[in-house]
Amino acid sequence: MAFYSERVMDHFANPRNVGEIKDADGIGEVGNPVCGDMMTFYIKVKNNKIEDVKFKTFGCGAAIAVSSMVSEMALGKTLEEVMSLTNADVAKALGGLPPNKMHCSNLGADALHKAIENYNSKQVK
């Protein structure tokens, strides 16, 4: 496990914001059939900010750590700030990921972006 940073190991062993929001304002789900990782993000939005965020992830330790980190990075931020969150931002916040696990950081940001897109699609224009 030496190829994972301490921060990755911490988020894997002690994931933050795990769960489901029953009355979520937005839900985003992504999956990678090659590796089997599946991530679902649930968000509550208030005043254009992520008021609450939860996730459910089926996958490897890196996928769980990425989901946990993404949830922490999103909480309290505006929707615009969260939509600008990149896969590289997530990997950097975790202290890096092994090259064969970088796809996990893509899934985390993508799932959160999909939750915001789902929320936006429900808003009256």
Side-chain angles (χ1 to χ4, degrees), residues 43-116:
I43 58 171
K44 288 295 280 182
V45 179
K46 185 174 182 181
N47 298 325
N48 199 48
K49 290 187 177 182
I50 303 288
E51 181 180 56
D52 193 12
V53 59
K54 301 278 188 244
F55 73 88
K56 286 186 174 180
T57 294
F58 176 82
C60 65
I64 293 166
V66 162
S67 298
S68 177
M69 178 56 78
V70 166
S71 72
E72 282 203 325
M73 294 173 81
L75 203 53
K77 300 280 192 324
T78 68
L79 299 179
E80 293 77 19
E81 288 172 320
V82 176
M83 286 301 286
S84 70
L85 183 66
T86 67
N87 307 324
D89 294 334
V90 177
K92 183 178 178 183
L94 284 167
L97 288 167
N100 65 328
K101 295 296 180 180
M102 283 301 290
H103 66 275
C104 296
S105 68
N106 298 347
L107 291 177
D110 290 350
L112 186 57
H113 293 163
K114 283 185 181 257
I116 292 171

Side-chain angles (χ1 to χ4, degrees), residues 3 9-11 16 18 36 41 53-54 69-70 72 85 95-96 98 115:
F3 50 87
M9 292 306 295
D10 178 45
H11 277 271
R16 286 72 150 172
V18 175
F41 273 81
V53 59
K54 301 278 188 244
M69 178 56 78
V70 166
E72 282 203 325
L85 183 66

